[in-house]
Amino acid sequence: WIRLSTEGTKARQRCQAARDGEDGWTWVRHVPSGDKWHPAKDQLTGSEAYGSKGTQSSDPAWSIKFDSIDFDEFMFATGDCQKWMRVKKDQVYGWYSNAQREVEESSTSERPYKARWYRRANNREDPWITLRDHSTSVKEGEVLYGENNFGNIHASNVVAVNNGANV
Protein backbone atom coordinates (compact mmCIF):
# COMPACT_ATOMS: atom_id res chain seq x y z
CA TRP A 1 0.00 0.00 0.00
CA ILE A 2 1.02 3.60 -0.40
CA ARG A 3 -0.43 6.34 1.73
CA LEU A 4 -1.63 9.69 0.46
CA SER A 5 -1.60 11.44 3.85
CA THR A 6 0.00 10.92 7.26
CA GLU A 7 -3.11 11.39 9.41
CA GLY A 8 -4.02 8.04 10.88
CA THR A 9 -5.33 5.36 13.15
CA LYS A 10 -3.65 3.82 16.17
CA ALA A 11 -0.61 1.66 15.49
CA ARG A 12 -2.32 -1.65 16.28
CA GLN A 13 -4.91 -0.96 13.58
CA ARG A 14 -2.51 0.10 10.80
CA CYS A 15 -2.30 -3.12 8.84
CA GLN A 16 -6.00 -3.93 9.01
CA ALA A 17 -6.93 -0.40 7.96
CA ALA A 18 -4.55 -0.56 5.00
CA ARG A 19 -5.82 -3.99 3.96
CA ASP A 20 -9.38 -2.68 4.02
CA GLY A 21 -8.49 0.45 2.01
CA GLU A 22 -9.15 2.76 4.95
CA ASP A 23 -7.19 5.64 6.43
CA GLY A 24 -5.87 6.93 3.09
CA TRP A 25 -4.04 3.75 2.05
CA THR A 26 -4.04 2.37 -1.51
CA TRP A 27 -3.10 -1.29 -2.02
CA VAL A 28 -0.56 -1.38 -4.87
CA ARG A 29 1.24 -4.75 -4.89
CA HIS A 30 0.53 -8.33 -3.77
CA VAL A 31 2.40 -11.63 -3.83
CA PRO A 32 0.48 -14.77 -2.79
CA SER A 33 1.67 -17.40 -0.38
CA GLY A 34 4.53 -19.35 -1.92
CA ASP A 35 8.29 -19.58 -2.18
CA LYS A 36 9.04 -16.48 -4.30
CA TRP A 37 8.94 -12.72 -3.82
CA HIS A 38 7.31 -10.17 -6.13
CA PRO A 39 7.98 -10.64 -9.87
CA ALA A 40 8.55 -6.87 -10.25
CA LYS A 41 12.00 -5.63 -11.22
CA ASP A 42 11.32 -1.89 -10.84
CA GLN A 43 13.03 -1.54 -7.44
CA LEU A 44 9.73 -0.42 -5.96
CA THR A 45 9.37 2.66 -8.15
CA GLY A 46 5.87 1.57 -9.15
CA SER A 47 6.59 1.58 -12.89
CA GLU A 48 5.45 -2.03 -13.42
CA ALA A 49 1.89 -3.29 -13.64
CA TYR A 50 1.06 -6.98 -13.94
CA GLY A 51 -1.78 -9.34 -13.09
CA SER A 52 -5.21 -8.12 -12.05
CA LYS A 53 -5.75 -6.36 -8.76
CA GLY A 54 -7.56 -8.80 -6.54
CA THR A 55 -8.12 -9.76 -2.94
CA GLN A 56 -5.81 -10.96 -0.21
CA SER A 57 -6.20 -14.52 -1.42
CA SER A 58 -5.46 -13.57 -5.03
CA ASP A 59 -3.21 -15.84 -6.99
CA PRO A 60 -1.12 -14.94 -8.98
CA ALA A 61 0.85 -11.88 -7.93
CA TRP A 62 -0.32 -8.46 -9.10
CA SER A 63 0.81 -4.84 -9.10
CA ILE A 64 -0.70 -1.57 -10.22
CA LYS A 65 1.41 1.33 -11.49
CA PHE A 66 1.95 3.92 -8.78
CA ASP A 67 4.92 5.88 -10.13
CA SER A 68 2.71 8.86 -10.99
CA ILE A 69 0.80 8.90 -7.68
CA ASP A 70 1.88 11.48 -5.13
CA PHE A 71 2.37 9.71 -1.79
CA ASP A 72 4.59 9.98 1.26
CA GLU A 73 4.58 6.58 3.00
CA PHE A 74 4.76 2.86 2.32
CA MET A 75 3.12 0.11 4.36
CA PHE A 76 4.67 -3.34 3.97
CA ALA A 77 2.85 -6.30 5.50
CA THR A 78 2.49 -10.04 5.45
CA GLY A 79 -0.86 -11.25 4.18
CA ASP A 80 -2.00 -12.17 7.68
CA CYS A 81 -0.90 -8.77 9.08
CA GLN A 82 1.25 -10.47 11.71
CA LYS A 83 4.30 -8.59 10.46
CA TRP A 84 4.10 -5.05 9.09
CA MET A 85 5.87 -1.71 8.97
CA ARG A 86 5.17 1.88 8.01
CA VAL A 87 8.04 3.85 6.48
CA LYS A 88 8.49 7.20 4.74
CA LYS A 89 9.03 6.95 1.00
CA ASP A 90 12.40 8.73 1.16
CA GLN A 91 13.71 5.97 3.42
CA VAL A 92 13.04 3.39 0.71
CA TYR A 93 14.38 5.31 -2.30
CA GLY A 94 18.01 6.11 -3.01
CA TRP A 95 20.90 3.66 -3.40
CA TYR A 96 22.34 1.96 -0.33
CA SER A 97 23.88 -1.29 0.86
CA ASN A 98 23.36 -2.56 4.40
CA ALA A 99 22.49 1.01 5.40
CA GLN A 100 20.37 2.08 8.33
CA ARG A 101 16.94 3.30 7.26
CA GLU A 102 14.29 4.73 9.57
CA VAL A 103 11.09 2.82 10.27
CA GLU A 104 8.20 4.95 11.58
CA GLU A 105 6.46 2.07 13.34
CA SER A 106 5.99 -1.65 12.91
CA SER A 107 4.53 -4.81 14.34
CA THR A 108 7.58 -4.89 16.64
CA SER A 109 7.65 -1.25 17.78
CA GLU A 110 5.28 1.70 18.00
CA ARG A 111 8.30 4.03 18.12
CA PRO A 112 10.66 4.95 15.27
CA TYR A 113 13.82 2.85 14.94
CA LYS A 114 16.43 1.96 12.33
CA ALA A 115 16.98 -1.23 10.33
CA ARG A 116 19.69 -2.13 7.79
CA TRP A 117 18.34 -2.61 4.25
CA TYR A 118 19.58 -2.95 0.68
CA ARG A 119 18.64 -1.09 -2.51
CA ARG A 120 21.54 -1.53 -4.93
CA ALA A 121 21.33 -0.25 -8.50
CA ASN A 122 22.38 -3.50 -10.20
CA ASN A 123 20.57 -6.02 -8.00
CA ARG A 124 17.15 -6.71 -9.50
CA GLU A 125 15.90 -8.43 -6.32
CA ASP A 126 16.30 -5.15 -4.37
CA PRO A 127 15.07 -3.43 -2.37
CA TRP A 128 15.17 -5.73 0.63
CA ILE A 129 12.83 -4.25 3.23
CA THR A 130 13.06 -5.99 6.59
CA LEU A 131 11.69 -5.54 10.11
CA ARG A 132 15.18 -5.56 11.60
CA ASP A 133 18.66 -5.65 10.09
CA HIS A 134 18.65 -7.65 6.85
CA SER A 135 20.96 -10.47 7.98
CA THR A 136 18.88 -11.16 11.10
CA SER A 137 15.54 -10.74 9.36
CA VAL A 138 16.29 -13.29 6.64
CA LYS A 139 16.93 -15.99 9.26
CA GLU A 140 13.98 -14.94 11.44
CA GLY A 141 11.35 -14.68 8.67
CA GLU A 142 11.11 -10.89 8.94
CA VAL A 143 11.65 -9.90 5.31
CA LEU A 144 8.69 -7.80 4.18
CA TYR A 145 9.67 -7.01 0.59
CA GLY A 146 11.84 -8.37 -2.21
CA GLU A 147 11.63 -8.58 -6.02
CA ASN A 148 12.62 -10.49 -9.16
CA ASN A 149 10.89 -13.71 -8.03
CA PHE A 150 13.72 -14.19 -5.53
CA GLY A 151 13.23 -17.33 -3.47
CA ASN A 152 15.45 -19.09 -0.96
CA ILE A 153 14.80 -18.53 2.76
CA HIS A 154 14.18 -14.85 1.99
CA ALA A 155 10.72 -15.95 0.80
CA SER A 156 10.12 -19.39 2.30
CA ASN A 157 10.52 -18.11 5.89
CA VAL A 158 7.81 -15.47 5.49
CA VAL A 159 5.78 -15.47 2.24
CA ALA A 160 4.96 -19.17 2.48
CA VAL A 161 3.93 -19.09 6.15
CA ASN A 162 2.23 -15.67 6.45
CA ASN A 163 -0.27 -15.81 3.58
CA GLY A 164 1.84 -13.83 1.09
CA ALA A 165 2.82 -10.18 1.35
CA ASN A 166 1.52 -6.76 0.36
CA VAL A 167 2.55 -3.19 -0.31
Side-chain angles (χ1 to χ4, degrees), residues 23 29 47 49 93 96 109 116 122 131:
D23 198 28
R29 197 164 276 180
S47 62
Y93 293 156
Y96 46 88
S109 177
R116 292 187 179 277
N122 296 317
L131 275 172

Side-chain angles (χ1 to χ4, degrees), residues 88-143:
K88 298 281 187 192
K89 179 171 77 170
D90 67 351
Q91 294 300 300
V92 172
Y93 293 156
W95 303 117
Y96 46 88
S97 180
N98 199 33
Q100 288 191 336
R101 311 306 281 181
E102 186 151 325
V103 175
E104 294 297 310
E105 65 181 339
S106 74
S107 52
T108 61
S109 177
E110 291 183 15
R111 297 180 186 267
Y113 65 94
K114 295 186 187 262
R116 292 187 179 277
W117 300 342
Y118 289 85
R119 189 170 183 265
R120 301 159 291 185
N122 296 317
N123 292 71
R124 302 314 284 166
E125 68 273 15
D126 289 4
W128 286 115
I129 307 295
T130 54
L131 275 172
R132 295 187 284 165
D133 292 349
H134 180 79
S135 60
T136 303
S137 291
V138 170
K139 296 173 196 161
E140 299 296 323
E142 295 178 339
V143 177

